Amino acid sequence: MKFEDIKGFAFDLDGVIADSARLHAKAWHQTADEVHSEWTPELAEALKGVSRMDSLEMILKAGGHENDYTEDEKVALATEKNTKYLKLVESLTPDDVLPGMKAFLDELKASGYKMSVASASKNAPAILKQLKITDYFEGVVDPAKLHAGKPDPEIFSLAAGVMDLAPEVVAGLEDSGAGIKSINAAGELSIGIGNQLTEADVRFADTSDVSLAAIKDKLA
Ligand code: BG6
Ligand code: MG
């Protein structure tokens, strides 16, 4: 995709706009300890972008415990994690927008780009509100309505629809491997936050490096 083709940006939230990926990880780490699955950096990375129940399944599987819990017990574990996460999230303020991202959102708004949110998190609207950035976006895809989560393209396809744009003119931003796969499969330009995201069309080491000029440079 050429830089000039881009008309809108679909954003993942946790780890791209909000400094909340570490809070998800902290809460899941406690769940892993509770079910006696080893918490490793690889597991933490693999959980990024993955829905709440699928994350729990992956944690149980990591310790070989996938058949040790009933459906009701699994729902209770996931609910307990979410309660812990929401407790951690209470402390988030507008200062917890990741470095450079508020300036990037302002730059996009001033330049007339459309924006939408493609987060697997059911808590996304609450976090946007807490960070006071809800109004930047045309809308937020409701992950409860998805048939399949990331890496399936559905969420990023819907995020283009929210902006009334074709996928070919949309760039998606992600900090997870599953998310980059979703963007690529949706036929959008993938922008990865993190050098480990080798499948991204464009990569930045850190959110503070993201700007329209930097994206243009990398696409040239
Ligand atoms: C994603 C996070 O954005 O949302 C995952 O990267 C999280 O870590 C997922 O599990 C679902 O979030 P929630 O808030 O609905 O449990
Ligand atoms: Mg993320």
Side-chain angles (χ1 to χ4, degrees):
M1 195 191 287
K2 293 199 301 292
F3 177 79
E4 289 71 27
D5 295 335
I6 305 173
K7 298 209 161 45
F9 287 81
F11 288 85
D12 174 43
L13 180 64
D14 299 310
V16 169
I17 297 177
D19 189 9
S20 47
R22 64 190 169 86
L23 305 180
H24 277 295
K26 192 171 180 183
W28 279 132
H29 189 163
Q30 290 179 32
T31 307
D33 288 349
E34 198 177 321
V35 302
H36 306 289
S37 288
E38 192 189 351
W39 183 256
T40 61
E42 292 72 30
L43 179 58
E45 191 60 38
L47 293 180
K48 285 185 185 169
V50 176
S51 74
R52 197 180 303 165
M53 288 312 289
D54 287 351
S55 296
L56 176 65
E57 290 292 349
M58 285 167 70
I59 289 168
L60 292 173
K61 204 158 179 220
H65 303 302
E66 61 270 38
N67 298 319
D68 298 355
Y69 294 85
T70 64
E71 280 313 308
D72 285 353
E73 286 168 339
K74 286 180 188 175
V75 169
L77 282 167
T79 304
E80 197 185 313
K81 179 269 173 178
N82 193 51
T83 305
K84 281 184 195 136
Y85 174 68
L86 289 177
K87 193 87 207 143
L88 295 169
V89 155
E90 272 175 24
S91 65
L92 289 184
T93 72
D95 288 340
D96 293 297
V97 173
L98 284 162
M101 290 314 276
K102 185 67 174 21
F104 185 52
L105 295 178
D106 283 327
E107 184 184 24
L108 294 182
K109 192 175 165 188
S111 311
Y113 289 92
K114 288 184 175 176
M115 296 172 244
S116 64
V117 175
S119 169
S121 173
K122 294 179 174 159
N123 297 305
I127 293 196
L128 291 171
K129 206 170 161 194
Q130 210 161 331
L131 299 179
K132 298 201 191 329
I133 53 173
T134 306
D135 292 347
Y136 284 91
F137 303 96
E138 306 287 318
V140 179
V141 177
D142 180 359
K145 298 208 174 107
L146 298 176
H147 300 94
K150 300 170 188 179
D152 188 277
E154 189 179 14
I155 190 166
F156 275 97
S157 300
L158 290 172
V162 162
M163 297 185 282
D164 235 346
L165 294 174
E168 299 80 56
V169 300
V170 170
L173 282 94
E174 260 291 347
D175 69 323
S176 73
I180 293 294
K181 282 192 165 69
S182 172
I183 297 170
N184 289 343
E188 300 168 4
L189 178 81
S190 55
I191 301 176
I193 310 297
N195 282 331
Q196 78 283 8
L197 298 169
T198 51
E199 292 178 48
D201 296 315
V202 169
R203 268 195 309 274
F204 292 99
D206 191 87
T207 53
S208 57
D209 302 328
V210 182
S211 68
L212 283 171
I215 294 167
K216 191 174 181 181
D217 260 16
K218 287 190 187 266
L219 284 174

